[in-house]
Amino acid sequence: MVWKNNYREKLTSAEDAVKVIKSNDRVVLGHACGEPKLTVDSLVKRAKELENVEIVHMVSYGKGEYAYPEMEGHFRFNGLFIGPSTRKAVNDGRADFTPRFFSEIPSLFSNGELPVDVALIQASPPDSRGYCSYGISVDYTKPCAESARVVIAEVNTRMPRTLGDSFIHVSDIDYIVECDYPLYTIPVPEIGPAEERIGENIASLIEDGATLQLGIGAIPNAVLHFLTDKHDLGIHTEMLSDSVIPLVESGAVTGRRKTLHKGKMIATFIMGSEELYDFVDKNTYVEMHPVSYTNDPFIISKNHRMTSINSFIQVDLLGNVNSETIGPNQFSAVGGQVDFVRGAIRSSGGKAILAATSTAAGGKISRIVPYLDRGASVTTSRNDVQYIVTEYGIANLRGKTCRDRARVLINIAHPDFRDWLREQARTTYQII
Ligand code: COA
């Protein structure tokens, strides 16, 4: 087999592989829990030899050492999403943030806006024909590797072999680093009584036969407890998390009534526990695709009764939703929120749900506000927004006047803030 010789010739160590990276290069890291560990560590060790290397990444669960203060001048982080390890660098001005819908991140790399010098990725060991699977991170990782000048792949025996449009052939990799370490995992989020009530409210909107997108965090996790008696749900999502396993096991998710990819769960990246990674390994029920496909609103909308469930930080009385900044500080990013809101709204019988507890910061701050904080971003605008859900109920804003939006939103705000919100609606917008 030619590919086997090819594979052997490309084998190297992480230290040697990253020697190909030069000053002023742009390096893109494989996404989320699929981030490679050995090559990133080796690159960081070379910091003093390098100047102005741009590191591009999205959700980061790694150490993020390239964004430490002492790395200034050597590495410059450019985030397409902000995670715990990169938030401080961006908000201190030592790193950059580039806003972009998740569905359009692959085109950043392929259309010349951000040409990629080196892609650092992780993949599964090859099959008998030389194809490695991108495993838990297909998202932008596959399109990025396809447009990069150089591809360095850590071939990890622990990377599950996911199926779908999720393969790279050994001939398309330039350097191979064999490894065997556990992938990054994230714990199942804890849910409190407020999240439970939100889960119950959301579940009341979900019809049998609906196709679901479940976002990250406690709320999507809370919803699943109330879905076990639903029938023939389907999954077309950006991120696949542990929350889906009990739904498959209870028989609530079958995909039988899906109008696109019937009988399959569609996702672009997977983030969760080792149990989840075992579940997706060689699982023909799960199909992975690049994010330019899964998150394309027109593709999403082909699923009838598409129901997207995501979270937010603040919503103003007109329905402008901020899901990514705390005041002027970038907290996360748009990710796939607007992709799925738009896809769900276009879908026949679709519903776009944005949910959060009515207050933040231990009850001190209302998430329903007269206007977004100074410097905050509008993630989902009032023109796109549909359902807002809190523990106090459900507000459907679509087709409603500004006056009616304010009324239904105040009804689901925390009772301690309702009088203040009514007063603000009157004085700021003259609508109540
Ligand atoms: N003012 C000040 N602080 C606020 C706040 C506000 N209005 N709203 C939230 N916060 C604080 C919280 O108290 C919390 O702080 P803590 O960690 O110290 O307790 C922190 O900000 C995070 O808020 P929380 O709402 O608990 O975050 P979360 O982990 O549930 O994530 C989003 C919610 C909206 C940030 C997250 O879902 C996101 O990034 N969404 C955009 C991307 C997306 O939707 N992608 C599609 C699905 S994968």
Side-chain angles (χ1 to χ4, degrees):
M1 290 264 183
V2 177
W3 75 261
K4 285 193 177 163
N5 293 335
N6 202 233
Y7 182 91
R8 273 191 291 273
E9 282 160 19
K10 291 174 179 182
L11 281 176
T12 184
S13 65
E15 293 77 13
D16 283 343
V18 299
K19 284 183 185 156
V20 74
I21 297 168
K22 301 183 303 301
S23 292
N24 303 312
D25 273 353
R26 175 175 295 117
V27 177
V28 182
L29 310 186
H31 186 220
C33 293
E35 179 182 331
K37 297 183 181 179
L38 304 181
T39 46
V40 173
D41 284 351
S42 299
L43 177 59
V44 167
K45 282 198 190 113
R46 283 195 62 210
K48 291 214 166 68
E49 302 162 30
L50 296 166
E51 277 175 28
N52 195 34
V53 170
E54 182 181 330
I55 309 274
V56 180
H57 198 194
M58 240 182 115
V59 177
S60 163
Y61 282 96
K63 292 174 271 186
E65 288 173 315
Y66 45 79
Y68 284 4
E70 60 271 27
M71 295 293 163
E72 240 183 312
H74 304 295
F75 299 121
R76 178 94 185 164
F77 175 68
N78 179 3
L80 306 170
F81 198 98
I82 304 301
S85 58
T86 50
R87 196 169 288 135
K88 188 161 171 21
V90 170
N91 292 321
D92 286 353
R94 290 182 286 104
D96 293 304
F97 171 70
T98 303
R100 184 92 158 189
F101 296 128
F102 198 3
S103 59
E104 295 179 357
I105 284 178
S107 64
L108 258 185
F109 303 132
S110 61
N111 71 9
E113 285 172 275
L114 284 190
V116 185
D117 292 302
V118 181
L120 297 185
I121 66 164
Q122 234 189 120
S124 77
D127 64 11
S128 60
R129 298 187 188 279
Y131 287 93
C132 303
S133 168
Y134 283 91
I136 60 172
S137 264
V138 176
D139 44 64
Y140 69 73
T141 310
K142 180 174 190 276
C144 161
E146 286 169 353
S147 47
R149 197 166 46 74
V150 177
V151 178
I152 302 177
E154 292 187 24
V155 170
N156 190 343
T157 47
R158 316 254 191 124
M159 178 60 88
R161 187 170 189 80
T162 62
L163 309 176
D165 182 6
S166 64
F167 295 98
I168 180 168
H169 194 262
V170 163
S171 57
D172 293 320
I173 303 174
D174 298 289
Y175 299 93
I176 295 171
V177 177
E178 286 187 325
C179 57
D180 174 46
Y181 56 74
L183 305 178
Y184 290 111
T185 54
I186 56 161
V188 176
E190 285 180 19
I191 51 172
E195 283 86 2
E196 262 191 33
R197 285 207 298 281
I198 294 171
E200 213 170 346
N201 288 339
I202 295 174
S204 73
L205 290 170
I206 297 173
E207 296 164 46
D208 287 340
T211 290
L212 307 181
Q213 175 253 337
L214 292 159
I216 187 169
I219 287 167
N221 199 44
V223 181
L224 79 93
H225 296 293
F226 301 96
L227 295 183
T228 42
D229 58 350
K230 302 271 179 193
H231 301 287
D232 292 328
L233 299 175
I235 302 288
H236 181 114
T237 193
E238 154 183 329
M239 188 189 93
L240 201 67
S241 69
D242 284 85
S243 55
V244 86
I245 301 177
L247 291 179
V248 173
E249 285 172 353
S250 72
V253 165
T254 63
R256 219 178 270 143
R257 288 170 65 187
K258 280 182 90 179
T259 48
L260 180 72
H261 299 290
K262 192 171 173 173
K264 300 271 183 195
M265 290 201 279
I266 304 298
T268 198
F269 74 101
I270 298 165
M271 214 160 63
S273 65
E274 294 278 358
E275 187 196 353
L276 177 66
Y277 302 157
D278 283 347
F279 172 79
V280 297
D281 186 38
K282 302 184 202 76
N283 187 339
T284 51
Y285 190 19
V286 180
E287 243 186 53
M288 301 292 285
H289 290 267
V291 69
S292 41
Y293 179 80
T294 56
N295 282 34
D296 177 339
F298 291 96
I299 298 293
I300 295 167
S301 68
K302 290 186 182 176
N303 292 292
H304 291 185
R305 296 173 296 276
M306 181 73 216
T307 305
S308 67
I309 302 161
N310 291 298
S311 215
F312 66 91
I313 288 175
Q314 282 187 315
V315 55
D316 75 17
L317 288 175
L318 310 181
N320 290 300
V321 176
N322 160 27
S323 306
E324 56 181 305
T325 65
I326 298 191
N329 291 328
Q330 199 68 42
F331 182 79
S332 55
V334 58
Q337 181 165 121
V338 174
D339 297 332
F340 274 92
V341 165
R342 291 185 171 163
I345 286 169
R346 283 197 187 108
S347 138
S348 163
K351 291 175 186 167
I353 300 168
L354 294 171
T357 50
S358 62
T359 59
K364 290 202 273 301
I365 301 170
S366 176
R367 292 193 196 245
I368 298 176
V369 286
Y371 32 80
L372 301 183
D373 285 349
R374 194 159 176 257
S377 289
V378 177
T379 309
T380 298
S381 91
R382 63 184 184 171
N383 306 298
D384 283 321
V385 72
Q386 190 180 20
Y387 289 100
I388 299 287
V389 177
T390 70
E391 68 276 30
Y392 291 100
I394 301 167
N396 184 357
L397 306 189
R398 214 153 166 80
K400 288 209 166 52
T401 62
C402 292
R403 192 182 311 277
D404 288 341
R405 285 168 181 234
R407 281 207 187 102
V408 292
L409 282 169
I410 291 169
N411 285 344
I412 62 161
H414 191 285
D416 290 352
F417 294 96
R418 289 184 194 169
D419 287 343
W420 168 69
L421 287 167
R422 267 187 216 103
E423 176 61 22
Q424 288 291 317
R426 204 166 20 247
T427 53
T428 309
Y429 300 109
Q430 290 83 42
I431 52 176
I432 283 193

